[in-house]
Structures are given as structure tokens and as C-alpha cells.
């Protein structure tokens, strides 16, 4: 009997303490009270249950609250859960630099669907970050359970030269990572099969005496963690999870690329193609790269610089990771779509606008008026071994939670929409709308004045031209004046629509009887402020 699972990828924008937690007032002389969950936790749980999800990958977790947020979500998901299933979760290490984001995976564990503890580099792992998660399978097999012992294991690897704090050159100074990275000076020897050895004179010693097989396993884990960089100090690595569905292996890689203005994102996306754990024959398995790639529809033919693991000069055991010289480029996504990963084209129907417009629109607007860009997607490769294959369900890749889900009509989900409105009210929704409305009113007054000036200028230019129709200078002035006036009028119309939209949303919020958005304009304003400027995407896999 086959099993079908639904996998969701979701960039929950700026998912930090300000959004996810409630801080109780501090009382003088007393300890700082603990954080408590905000209503967004209940909203996400309502989405997971209402859409019958099996795996969720959440991006852009900030403030270092990943584990706390994970615990809150699991509590909500497992409350009155389905018999025989237990939601589990994993949180990545905090990324170095920038906002130090975390990823979260949540999955519905059953007798036939759970983590693969024997997979490489580990059941969960942040690429090129050597943390306890990457060695979880080893720790389980070797009975290394204490957190202090696991920490000492990483320190022992460091003392023996296998791990380092990575060095990045940023502007005029060097920066060291807070997380451990695989030492590139010994990576090639590990890839060649040289077993790991612990020097008895180095402190701290490993927490247990590992068997020869386990020492080989450690070397394999370090090899698979790799020496890749994505690309600068503050850029994020993909987060991997290895699962088994009906004994069939599935690897997911969740990735939040550098921002839309950062040119390194093109290089970073292609570097994913070099990842050993995602390669087709390492071992043969089902594999999916998913997330927010921040590549706009007009950038899909961008060429990106290629990188390599070059032999280290004078050191046959090491490699140097960096750009290929002389420079080589390749079309972005090609190393994922074609060789080495061979995942095929993006799975969402083209174009699927997964990000939202920053405009305010009325409740009578069309869905395309809310669209931003095509940033999020899936890339999926089925195992080449028939006994291991998980097939993608036809027509299943989609924007799984469009704005239409939040207001009455086609696709409406009352439970999820109500949960959204509850959080929006609690998250200062009314104040946000009032502030935006005040800004729009000021803008309208300025643009109206510009329209008045532009009208006069255009009339004057047209009158002058009528006196000397063949004068090319006057023709140009009249044309420019008319174009400028058209621009002003378009801005005025857009601002007027924004005021109409915000006024309607303000009325909705001040009426306590309204428990869901009334239309697409309300849904856009409410979802974008409370949750994200990205929509969640999903697809289904079948054993």
C-alpha cells in the first residue's frame, strides 16, 4: 500500500521574538519573566493541521529562539493529535553573520515515516557546519548521550585538526565563524578514505573509544559535511534532513538564499549543485532542494561564477575552495537542474508568484494585483533505483496557502483565516493599518499637488506646440509633460486605492464581530504584515 506525504516550504518573514513571543513586563527586583508564545504559533499549527501536512520547512527564524519556537509548535501540533502520529522537530544551528538565522523542520512521525539515523552526513545537518546534529546517528550508535560529551567530541576533533573555526575575508579584516567547519587541509585525505585517528596526547580525548567502523563513519560524516561556502561570511547554508518513507530514502535541502539585492545569491545557488549529500549516487536516493531562492522572473538567465575544490599547493591531503580561475560561469540553477544534481526543472507551474506585492489593493482587486515575484520553488529528483523511488504526485506542486484561503469565496479556509485574524489583531494590526493610512493620506496630498502642477505644465506645453507644430523642441516638451502627468495620475490612482483599501481594513478591525478578512485587499494587508511577504508552497510525494 502506498503512502502519500505533503511537503511544505515557507519563508515566515522575520520570524523572531517580536513576532513569535510575548514578553511579560519585568517587575523590579524579580527575575526576567520567560517568553510565552504569541498567536502565530497557533496559526502555523492550524495551517499544518488544516492542510494535513507531513513535513514543514520554515525559514528566516531569528533572535535565536529556534528551539523555543520549535517546542511551542510541537506542543500545539501534538495537542489532540492523530493516534499513531507524533510531530517531531529539528532546529539548525544559528548561521554565522548577518541576522544569524535558523531553520526549522517539523515532520509527522509515524511507524513508516521518520528520520533516517544512518544517513550521511547525519539525520539533520547544516551544510559545512560541524555541530552535534551532524553526528546524531553516530552518538546514538555509540551511546554518547550527554550534551557535555557531545560537545567534548567536537572539541576533540578540533584538537586533532579535523575541525576549525572557518576564516572569511570581509573587507579589510578576517572573520572567524562561531560554528565549527571541516578543516580543508585534511578534507581530501578523508574523501580518499583515510580513517580518523585520535591522538591520545591531545585534550580533550573523545568521550568513548570508537570502533574502527565508527572511526570510518566519522570520516564519512566529515567528508559529506564538505568545505563548501555559500559564499560570504554572513550567507546562509542549506539545511538538510534525511527521512525514510516506507523504507525509501528522502533527502530534503531547505535553502534561504542571500537577499534579492545580493549578487552572491547566483553563485551560492550553483554551489548547492556541488553538495555531496545531494548527489545522485551518494547513495542513490530521492532528493529535493526547496526554499526561497530570491531569483526574479527577469533574472532566470543570469550567468554565475563557478567554484571548485582545488588541490592545495604542497598539501596532497587538502583542498582550497574558491572561484575557478580563469573565471568560468554557468546559467543559474543549471548545476541543480542538470549535472551534478540532475533534479530537472523547477516544479511549480510557471510563473508561480510566491512573493507578495508591497502595494495596498482594494477588496475588488484581481489576484494578479497582489503578485510580487517567483522567488520560491522545488527541485526534485526521484531515485534511480526502482525499489527506492518516491514519485511526485502529478499537479501537486502549488502555492498551498494563497490569499484566497483567507476570505470568503473559492478556496476559503475559515479556521486558518480566523487564526490569522486573531494573530494580526494581537500583533498590532490596527496600529499598523492606521500608520499606513496616515502615510497614504500625506502622500495623496503631495501627489494631488503634483498632478495640479503637471496639468498646468502639460496645458502650457500643448498650447505652445499648437502655435508652432513643427518645432521639435516644443514637441519633446509636450510629450515629456504629458508622460509626467500620466505618471502622476497613475500614482494618484494607486494611492487612492491604497487609502480605500486601508480604510476598509481599518473598519474591519474596529468591528469586533469580523473574524476573517473580507476580501483580497484585507487578506494582503493582514497576511503580509502578520506573517510574511512570501506564500507557502507544497508538493506531494508517493511511495
Amino acid at each position: 500500500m502506498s503512502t502519500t506525504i505533503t511537503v511544505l516550504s515557507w519563508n515566515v518573514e522575520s520570524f523572531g521574538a517580536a513576532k513569535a513571543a510575548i514578553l511579560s513586563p519585568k517587575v523590579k527586583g524579580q527575575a526576567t519573566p520567560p517568553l510565552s508564545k504569541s498567536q502565530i504559533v497557533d496559526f502555523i499549527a492550524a495551517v499544518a493541521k488544516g492542510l494535513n501536512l507531513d513535513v514543514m520547512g520554515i525559514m528566516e527564524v531569528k533572535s535565536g529562539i529556534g528551539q523555543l519556537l520549535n517546542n511551542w509548535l510541537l506542543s500545539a501540533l501534538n495537542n489532540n493529535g492523530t493516534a499513531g502520529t507524533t510531530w517531531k522537530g529539528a532546529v539548525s544551528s544559528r548561521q554565522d553573520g548577518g541576522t544569524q538565522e535558523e531553520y526549522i523542520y517539523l515532520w509527522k512521525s509515524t511507524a513508516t515515516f521518520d528520520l533516517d539515523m544512518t544517513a550521511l552526513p547525519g539525520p539533520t545537518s547544516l551544510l559545512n557546519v560541524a555541530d552535534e546534529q551532524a553526528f546524531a546517528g553516530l552518538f546514538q550508535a555509540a551511546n554518547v548521550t550527554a550534551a557535555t560529551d557531545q560537545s567534548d567530541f567536537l572539541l576533540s576533533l578540533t584538537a586533532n585538526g579535523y575541525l576549525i573555526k572557518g576564516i572569511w575575508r570581509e573587507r579589510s579584516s578576517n572573520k572567524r565563524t562561531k560554528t565549527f567547519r571541516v578543516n580543508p587541509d585534511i578534507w581530501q585525505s578523508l574523501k580518499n578514505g583515510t580513517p580518523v585517528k585520535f591522538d591520545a596526547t591531545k585534550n580533550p580525548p573523545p568521550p568513548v573509544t570508537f570502533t574502527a567502523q565508527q572511526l570510518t563513519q566519522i570520516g564519512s560524516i566529515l567528508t559529506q559535511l564538505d568545505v563548501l561556502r555559500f559564499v560570504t561570511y554572513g550567507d546562509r547554508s542549506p539545511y538538510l534532513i534525511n527521512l525514510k518513507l516506507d523504507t525509501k530514502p528522502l533527502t530534503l535541502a531547505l535553502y534561504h538564499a542571500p537577499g534579492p539585492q545580493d549578487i552572491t545569491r547566483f553563485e551560492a545557488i550553483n554551489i548547492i549543485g556541488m553538495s555531496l549529500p545531494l548527489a545522485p549516487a551518494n547513495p542513490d536516493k530521492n532528493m529535493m532542494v526547496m526554499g526561497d531562492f530570491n531569483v526574479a522572473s527577469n533574472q532566470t538567465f543570469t550567468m554565475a561564477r563557478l567554484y571548485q575544490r582545488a588541490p592545495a599547493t604542497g598539501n596532497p591531503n587538502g583542498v582550497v575552495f574558491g572561484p575557478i580561475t580563469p573565471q568560468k560561469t554557468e546559467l543559474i540553477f543549471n548545476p541543480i537542474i542538470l549535472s551534478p544534481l540532475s533534479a530537472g526543472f523547477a516544479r511549480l507551474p510557471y510563473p508561480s508568484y510566491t512573493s507578495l506585492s508591497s502595494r495596498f489593493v482594494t477588496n475588488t482587486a484581481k489576484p494578479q494585483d497582489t503578485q510580487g515575484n517567483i522567488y520560491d520553488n522545488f527541485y526534485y529528483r526521484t531515485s534511480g533505483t526502482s525499489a527506492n523511488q518516491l514519485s511526485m504526485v502529478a499537479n501537486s506542486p502549488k502555492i498551498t496557502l494563497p490569499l484566497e484561503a483567507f476570505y470568503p469565496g473559492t478556496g476559503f479556509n475559515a479556521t486558518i483565516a480566523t487564526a490569522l485574524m486573531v494573530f494580526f489583531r494581537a500583533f498590532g494590526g490596527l496600529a499598523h493599518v492606521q500608520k499606513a493610512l496616515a502615510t497614504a493620506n500625506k502622500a495623496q496630498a503631495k501627489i494631488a499637488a503634483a498632478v495640479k502642477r503637471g496639468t498646468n505644465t502639460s496645458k502650457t506645453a500643448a498650447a505652445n506646440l499648437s502655435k508652432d507644430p513643427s518645432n521639435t523642441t516644443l514637441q519633446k516638451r509636450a510629450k515629456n509633460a504629458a508622460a509626467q502627468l500620466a505618471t502622476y495620475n497613475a500614482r494618484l490612482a494607486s494611492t487612492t486605492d491604497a487609502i480605500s483599501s486601508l480604510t476598509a481594513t481599518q473598519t474591519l478591525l474596529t468591528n469586533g464581530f469580523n473574524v476573517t478578512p473580507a476580501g483580497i485587499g484585507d487578506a494582503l494587508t493582514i497576511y503580509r504584515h502578520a506573517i510574511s511577504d512570501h506564500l507557502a508552497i507544497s508538493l506531494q510525494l508517493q511511495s
Side-chain angles (χ1 to χ4, degrees), residues 45 49 74-87:
K49 292 179 178 180
L74 291 178
S75 178
L77 288 166
N78 286 316
N79 184 28
N80 298 320
T82 304
T85 67
T86 302
W87 279 91

Side-chain angles (χ1 to χ4, degrees), residues 218-241:
I218 295 170
S220 297
I221 293 171
L222 294 172
T223 301
Q224 296 277 312
L225 284 176
D226 217 323
V227 294
L228 307 179
R229 297 185 175 193
F230 295 93
V231 176
T232 64
Y233 177 77
D235 291 341
R236 298 168 285 260
S237 298
Y239 187 40
L240 273 57
I241 185 169

Side-chain angles (χ1 to χ4, degrees), residues 224-304:
Q224 296 277 312
L225 284 176
D226 217 323
V227 294
L228 307 179
R229 297 185 175 193
F230 295 93
V231 176
T232 64
Y233 177 77
D235 291 341
R236 298 168 285 260
S237 298
Y239 187 40
L240 273 57
I241 185 169
N242 286 298
L243 299 156
K244 275 197 173 181
L245 174 63
D246 295 337
T247 73
K248 299 178 180 183
L250 171 63
T251 298
L252 304 178
L254 182 64
Y255 184 54
H256 184 198
Q261 308 306 319
D262 193 334
I263 61 172
T264 62
R265 68 193 186 283
F266 303 126
E267 299 171 7
I269 288 167
N270 280 358
I271 289 171
I272 292 174
M274 300 175 65
S275 171
L276 296 179
L278 304 181
N282 200 35
D284 184 20
K285 57 189 172 184
N286 306 281
M287 183 282 299
M288 184 155 64
V289 180
M290 62 186 189
D292 170 14
F293 299 96
N294 280 319
V295 175
S297 56
N298 63 351
Q299 297 171 326
T300 54
F301 291 99
T302 302
M303 302 297 289

Side-chain angles (χ1 to χ4, degrees), residues 417-418 421-422 424-426 430 504-517:
T418 300
M421 184 69 102
V422 168
F424 183 71
R425 289 182 187 277
L430 180 58
T505 305
Q506 179 179 246
T507 302
L508 180 84
L509 293 170
T510 52
N511 184 343
F513 295 103
N514 295 313
V515 295
T516 69

Side-chain angles (χ1 to χ4, degrees), residues 92-141:
S92 73
S93 293
R94 292 187 77 180
Q95 307 272 2
D96 287 297
T99 56
Q100 297 182 301
E101 292 179 17
E102 296 167 283
Y103 297 101
I104 294 179
Y105 276 120
L106 300 160
W107 67 96
K108 195 188 296 180
S109 171
T110 68
T112 59
F113 182 57
D114 210 342
L115 280 183
D116 183 354
M117 297 301 295
T118 63
L120 294 173
T124 59
S125 58
L126 200 59
L127 276 184
N128 191 30
V129 173
D131 58 13
E132 290 84 353
Q133 286 190 41
F135 297 93
L138 171 76
F139 291 155
Q140 183 184 77

Side-chain angles (χ1 to χ4, degrees), residues 440-491:
N441 279 320
K442 289 181 180 179
Q444 185 187 49
K446 290 183 179 180
I447 297 171
V451 167
K452 185 176 181 180
R453 292 192 304 272
T455 300
N456 293 334
T457 301
S458 184
K459 285 180 178 179
T460 300
N464 291 336
L465 180 60
S466 68
K467 297 174 184 177
D468 187 5
S470 61
N471 188 311
T472 56
T473 300
L474 294 179
Q475 289 174 359
K476 185 175 181 180
R477 287 177 183 173
K479 181 179 179 181
N480 290 343
Q484 186 67 70
L485 178 59
T487 298
Y488 287 147
N489 279 320
R491 289 179 184 173

